[in-house]
Amino acid sequence: MTYDKNSKKIVDIIQSFARKHSLWILGYGTGCGAIEIPPTMTSRYDGERFGLRGAATPRQADVLLITGYLATKTLKRVIRSYEQMQSPKYVIGFGSCTINGGMYWDSYNTINALAQYLPVDVFINGCMPRPESVISGFIELQKLIAEGRADGAEKYQKNLEWYRENQKKVIHNWKMPDYNW
Amino acid sequence: MREKETTLYLGPQHPGITGNMMVKLKVAGDTVVKAETHVGYLHRAFEKLMEQRTWIQCFPIVCRICVPEPDPNEENLARAIEEIEGREVPERAKYIRVMVLELARLATYGLWMGGQAGSMGLYTMPQWTVGDRDYIIDLFEELTGGRIYHMYIWAGGVRRDLPEGFTGRVLKVLDYLESRLPDYDNLLFNNAMFRKRAEGVGIIPKDKAIEWGVVGPPLRGCGIKHDVRIDEPYEIYDKLDFEVPTAEGGDVWSRALVRRQEYEQSISIIRQVIDKMPGGDYYNKIPNPLTWKVPPGEAYVKTESARGEFGYYVVSDGSDKPRRVHVRGPAFVHGVSLLEKILIGANIADISFIMNSLGTCPPEIER
Amino acid sequence: MQKKDCIENTCVERIQKIFQTAEVEIQRDKRVVVKMRLDLVPPFLAYAKDYWNFKHLAHISCVDWLEENEFELVYMLWSYETNIMLMIKSRVDRSKPEFVTLSHIWPQAETYEREIHEMYGIDFEGNDRLGEFILEDWEGIPPMRRDFNTIKYSQENFYQRPGREDAQSVRETISKHSGEEVPDFAKEFSIRRIEE
């Protein structure tokens, strides 16, 4: 179960093939981009043929889809949900607000760059992205999984102090459990 | 034997299409004893941002206040600016605005039907209605360039004229939607399980409805007939012929009946608009949008959106940025103080059912 | 036209007869604006709801006039029988902003007052649900006041992603990354932009 790029065993190839064709998305629409997820999952732009479906709890989910801007109140809940998910897990940043703040760059309540607080694998830009862009973002994630480069979870574990320092600067009342796996 | 009371946090996600809002409950067994709502998960500080943007830059930002139905917001801001300035809008622009508003109303009712059935466990209905709503969104994309956020209505009229053959395509889509209504009836509205589940749940008492600030379809579901399109007609609603349906009871079932009948009325309004549309100008030109100053004054305008009465209070002090824009959506009262009152005595399984029927949309509670 | 004029004019005459220190004017068709002292507002609202027919409270709003050192509270009432809107305005001193709650007349006024308390800092006595409503763990002055600078706050607290420093064409960068060709009509547009 290694993500070592140098030694590509046959086990890794079969595992990543299985993982990339069954991605379960946590059913949490965090921002205004969540209005384009129902059209992606219904019969016109069928998302289920790629293996995407919704999951109810963080323990059963693989992908966390951050749809749009994040207020600091939601960021605290999103961090807690992310740490409850089990490896292997991926984060997709959806919309221009996760890249550089988007339309709300000068607001006192929304964060500007998501990559400082959570490890993001794929960004999809647009305001908001069309269902075809969403599907092409998932195909990009599938390519990264097949090559073994989607290692956001390991990056988070190794640089935990850096991420924590950034998060505590924004969230003042820090009463969260420790992250120890 | 009295059951022990526990505290339950029903968190930001809910089944159905509501949005991020938390309800803190005190439950005894399966019934709710006390409820408290917590909002603020989607706060972006729109009103502060609008004080830093020029008047023309406010239009793209205003449509993102209400996510399922952005057009009443643009129309309210445009009408408020026109009232302060005294600017005239040509007739053709008014007809086009009414057509866009009614198409947005149809799309929102489609989403509502999906959300109401989805929170009950009937997942076939969202697949049908969200898929059919895509045809209306295709029309919007052809007319305005964007699927969800249009930025099409602005002060002085609309941004561009209708493309050639557009009204023919609108009529085809309307015929298709009318042919789907018997299927929706068979699945949801004539369904005995939905009726048994929805009758007697979430009742708003009729004598207290106006005092508690109820507007829109919940008010018409109590038997009181008020609608902004009739009380204070704006654009060209006084020249059109339509009815405002009501139902008695005040529970989830009567609100569903009201919305189902308004769906048909909207389709007939769009047909009348297409019949009567005049030719002419579509835009009364602003001299130079980059250095546009609105004279000092204030205005309060109202629109009837799919969920109720939408109000905007705009104050200008003569400079090129607004002084104060205060937005009041229908969910501000429905989702915070009304919900705390009518959840008492309900089952836990009915909470998101009631939230879907009131039309709570948290992005417009906290902007 | 004659009849509509009558309804607004009767409103104006009635208010001027009973509350003599108020200034009343007709702003336009269906809008009557009343400016009055702060201590007359609760009795006027109770009179308008119980003895008159203005039963629907549409909106409570607040405007910050920093230059005159005052807040302005605006109450909007709508009558379903005569279809007239009353806008009642009164000024609150900015250095000592406090007033009383009106949730005993309309229960929904509690929500509006919670929002005004959080965003402007006006204290409503008698409303015991004032406190955290929309913002969480907010330290600082109430954010909708005109002397709060939101751009400075955002730049100090949230990491800003730096912009592109070179004038590289976006289409060429994307096509280099994904390995696809830039189509001919797009090449012409991009080159023209760089030369301008």
Side-chain angles (χ1 to χ4, degrees), chain A residues 27-32 35-36 38-39 41-45 56 69 71 73-74 77 103-110 127-128 130-131, chain B residues 12-13 17 20 39-46 48-49 52-53 60-61 64 67-68 111 126-127 130-131 133-134 138 141 147-149:
Chain A
Y28 184 21
T30 56
C32 47
I35 196 78
E36 285 281 38
M41 292 299 177
T42 53
S43 54
R44 194 177 181 195
Y45 301 101
Y69 63 92
K73 193 167 178 177
T74 317
R77 276 84 176 157
M103 191 167 276
Y104 315 113
W105 59 276
D106 53 348
S107 158
Y108 55 82
N109 207 33
T110 56
C127 185
M128 44 210 52
R130 292 184 56 111
Chain B
Q13 314 158 264
I17 303 180
N20 288 354
V39 293
Y41 292 89
L42 300 169
H43 178 62
R44 290 159 275 182
F46 269 112
K48 189 82 186 176
L49 290 185
Q52 323 251 359
R53 309 236 191 287
I61 212 172
R64 282 148 170 91
V67 174
L111 255 188
Q127 295 277 344
V130 175
R133 173 183 170 258
D134 247 32
D138 271 351
E141 194 183 2
R147 279 172 55 105
I148 308 281
Y149 296 137

Side-chain angles (χ1 to χ4, degrees), chain B residues 118-140:
Chain B
S119 67
M120 198 173 84
L122 182 66
Y123 291 115
T124 314
M125 198 71 185
Q127 295 277 344
W128 282 3
T129 54
V130 175
D132 288 341
R133 173 183 170 258
D134 247 32
Y135 290 112
I136 305 180
I137 302 230
D138 271 351
L139 287 177
F140 276 131

Side-chain angles (χ1 to χ4, degrees), chain B residues 163-185:
Chain B
E164 229 183 271
F166 186 72
T167 45
R169 288 189 274 274
V170 172
L171 288 172
K172 258 202 266 185
V173 167
L174 290 182
D175 287 334
Y176 171 73
L177 288 176
E178 254 183 349
S179 73
R180 293 286 281 164
L181 279 178
D183 287 330
Y184 296 163
D185 282 343

Side-chain angles (χ1 to χ4, degrees), chain B residues 271-304:
Chain B
R271 288 212 163 106
Q272 289 175 39
V273 164
I274 291 180
D275 267 337
K276 296 184 180 170
M277 185 165 316
D281 243 347
Y282 60 91
Y283 180 38
N284 185 357
K285 210 168 153 66
I286 303 171
N288 184 0
L290 299 174
T291 61
W292 177 30
K293 292 196 174 52
V294 175
E298 63 180 17
Y300 186 80
V301 287
K302 296 199 280 191
T303 324
E304 177 82 16

